[in-house]
Amino acid sequence: MTSAGRFAPSPSGELHVGNLRTAILAWLFARSTGRKFLMRVEDLDRARAGAEAEQLRDLAAIGITWDGGIVRQTDRGPLYAEAIAGLTAAGLTYECFCTRREIQEAPSAPHAPQGAYPGTCRNLSEAERAVKRAVRPAAVRLRSAVTAATVQDVLHGSYTGVVDDFVLRRNDGVTAYNLAVVVDDAAQGIDQVVRGDDLLPSTPRQAYLASLLNIPVPEYAHVPLVVNADGARLAKRDGAVTLADLAAAGIPVGQVRDTLLASVGLPAGPVEQALAVFEPAALPREPWIWPGMAGPDA
Ligand code: GLU
């Protein structure tokens, strides 16, 4: 299988300039290393009708090209089920009946890192499970043998983070993001994962899961986010932050693209032109404050 990078948006709404900047970087990382670039729609959760088409239109408008068709996670249930079944057969999963509230209120296990699942359901007997099953459906958790793992990241270097008994399938039957992303990246031949650095804390879990599934761990590059003037992650309420809003304010897509390229030290113009001078080591490591863009009448 040829190597590939990817962009994997969740179709929960329109992409904002922060998402578009990450997409440009993912594209540059992949294309500058001769990789394919794949587009995967992560629609297992929070999908809004129409959002996928808007997102793909905006990605194309800033010059992102991708190979092959769109892969949608909702079409891939059997692949996820197979991975979970394999882990279960190896004794690496267990059923969990905890509500979110029960998890919050449970005393944390000794030495357990902050935010880790406290292990309430890890050692239930079959009889205890049968009683709980009658009350509510089970989620499936990984029976992790470690509490932390270290990954290598192009921008962050060596990064160590928590690995707990994280959820693989939610109790409503929906496959959890951490499982789906690992299975999909492997099945699609993706060996380079470029995404926002808000996902860096999930990465040790994903790398550990990959090792259990005998899947090679991809190269990771977690890129800094775009933030508003208060330092908070950019959101719709921060004004004109989508291509549609910006176009309505009189700002053409090319100008938005050039502003995003400038924010990572790259020349204005079509993204292909940036390929020749793209240098991952030169990328900024700090969040970029969205300066806002004024239209011609402002
Ligand atoms: N679907 C995730 C998001 O939009 C990205 C997941 C990933 O790149 O691994 O935040």
Side-chain angles (χ1 to χ4, degrees), residues 6-12 15 19 22 40-43 46 55 73 177 181-182 185 193-196 198-199 206 220 222 233:
R6 46 63 156 195
F7 189 61
S10 300
S12 53
L15 298 174
N19 309 126
T22 300
R40 183 172 73 232
V41 174
E42 301 209 321
D43 58 352
R46 295 180 295 131
Q55 293 187 340
Q73 290 190 321
Y177 158 69
V181 76
V182 170
D185 284 342
V193 169
V194 179
R195 57 190 177 190
D198 54 328
L199 288 167
Q206 295 172 13
Y220 293 112
H222 287 86
R233 190 193 304 198

Side-chain angles (χ1 to χ4, degrees), residues 233-249:
R233 190 193 304 198
L234 202 67
K236 267 297 251 175
R237 63 180 169 278
D238 293 314
V241 293
T242 66
L243 290 187
D245 296 338
L246 290 160

Side-chain angles (χ1 to χ4, degrees), residues 2 11 25 37 49 54 78 89 100 102-103 117 124 138 173 187-188 203 217 227 245 249 251 265 285 292:
T2 48
L25 287 172
F37 192 65
E54 287 166 4
R100 202 177 289 256
E102 283 165 348
I103 293 172
Y117 175 66
L124 294 179
Q188 295 184 269
T203 307
V217 174
V227 296
D245 296 338
I251 298 154
R285 308 300 158 106

